[in-house]
Amino acid sequence: MTETSIPRAEQSLDEEETATLAVDGDDDTEVDETEADGDVTEATAGGREKKAVGESDLFRQSEIAADYVEGLLDILDYDGDIDELVAGGRPVVEVVGARLQNLVGQRGATLEALQELTRLAIFRQTGTPSRLLLDVGGYRANRRKELAAVAKNAVEKVKEYGEPVRLEAMSAFERKCVHDVVNAMSGVESESEGVEPNRRIVVRPAD
């Protein structure tokens, strides 16, 4: 059953693609639509504006998320320690433990789906779309390191040959990691092109 009042998963990922330097999370870079935390307003899907949530609300979101994830672990009979916190202006839930790889899936696909389900659980309780970041077994931290190496390699090629380099298709989280590295380096720039699930980054010489 589809609830038309609930944001689609694609929407929340697109929102993540927009604030590369605003948060240390899984965002991409094209349009600065989501200065989502702090004393600012943000546009909703219906064109209305609402005040961004404060830190206490963000922590409440992380608590709701932690309860939801704990319930999932119980159902699946998985053991894991759950930490909830607010970091980088967004709610974060981290699950640590052994035998959790099935919750990550190939290239984090299962983790992304679980994150969207958890965001949906938050929305059901609060009525507020969430930018929750869910991590399992340190996957995101490890993937950031891998993607940093990919980004640096692309930058080296661009500087050596002066030609754009197109990377493989990536999730919004992965693109954010690459954009962050590229944007911190001089003489190059990056942008995303294409549509999900084949959206990718192009690294090129800066204008």
Side-chain angles (χ1 to χ4, degrees), residues 37-187:
D37 304 301
D39 190 16
V40 296
T41 59
E42 58 182 358
T44 64
R48 296 167 298 176
E49 287 188 349
K50 71 183 183 67
K51 194 170 179 62
V53 293
E55 182 152 339
S56 61
D57 294 318
L58 293 175
F59 189 75
R60 173 60 178 152
Q61 289 185 16
S62 70
E63 290 179 322
I64 294 170
D67 289 342
Y68 180 78
V69 171
E70 184 176 12
L72 287 178
L73 293 180
D74 289 341
I75 293 171
L76 297 171
D77 195 25
Y78 284 178
D79 292 325
D81 294 325
I82 302 175
D83 293 327
E84 69 259 19
L85 61 148
V86 173
R90 71 193 311 166
V92 178
V93 167
E94 298 175 347
V95 184
V96 181
R99 204 170 60 87
L100 295 175
Q101 183 57 38
N102 287 341
L103 298 180
V104 175
Q106 185 175 10
R107 286 197 53 180
T110 304
L111 175 58
E112 293 295 339
L114 289 175
Q115 178 173 272
E116 292 307 310
L117 287 173
T118 308
R119 288 176 171 180
L120 180 57
I122 294 171
F123 181 83
R124 287 181 182 276
Q125 288 201 38
T126 67
T128 301
S130 175
R131 298 176 63 246
L132 169 84
L133 181 66
L134 175 65
D135 196 9
V136 173
Y139 170 80
R140 293 194 188 278
N142 293 331
R143 185 63 176 147
R144 280 192 184 96
K145 294 178 182 178
E146 295 173 357
L147 291 166
V150 169
K152 290 175 182 177
N153 182 59
V155 168
E156 289 174 0
K157 289 182 178 179
V158 169
K159 289 186 174 181
E160 181 176 358
Y161 300 108
E163 297 291 335
V165 172
R166 285 176 169 78
L167 303 180
E168 63 180 345
M170 297 180 181
S171 67
F173 160 72
E174 292 172 324
R175 294 194 302 270
K176 166 62 165 64
C177 294
V178 173
H179 282 308
D180 281 350
V181 174
V182 175
N183 290 344
M185 306 180 80
S186 62

Side-chain angles (χ1 to χ4, degrees), residues 192-205:
S192 295
E193 65 177 19
V195 296
E196 302 289 1
N198 297 313
R199 194 161 171 78
R200 67 185 65 234
I201 286 178
V202 180
V203 183
R204 57 170 49 93

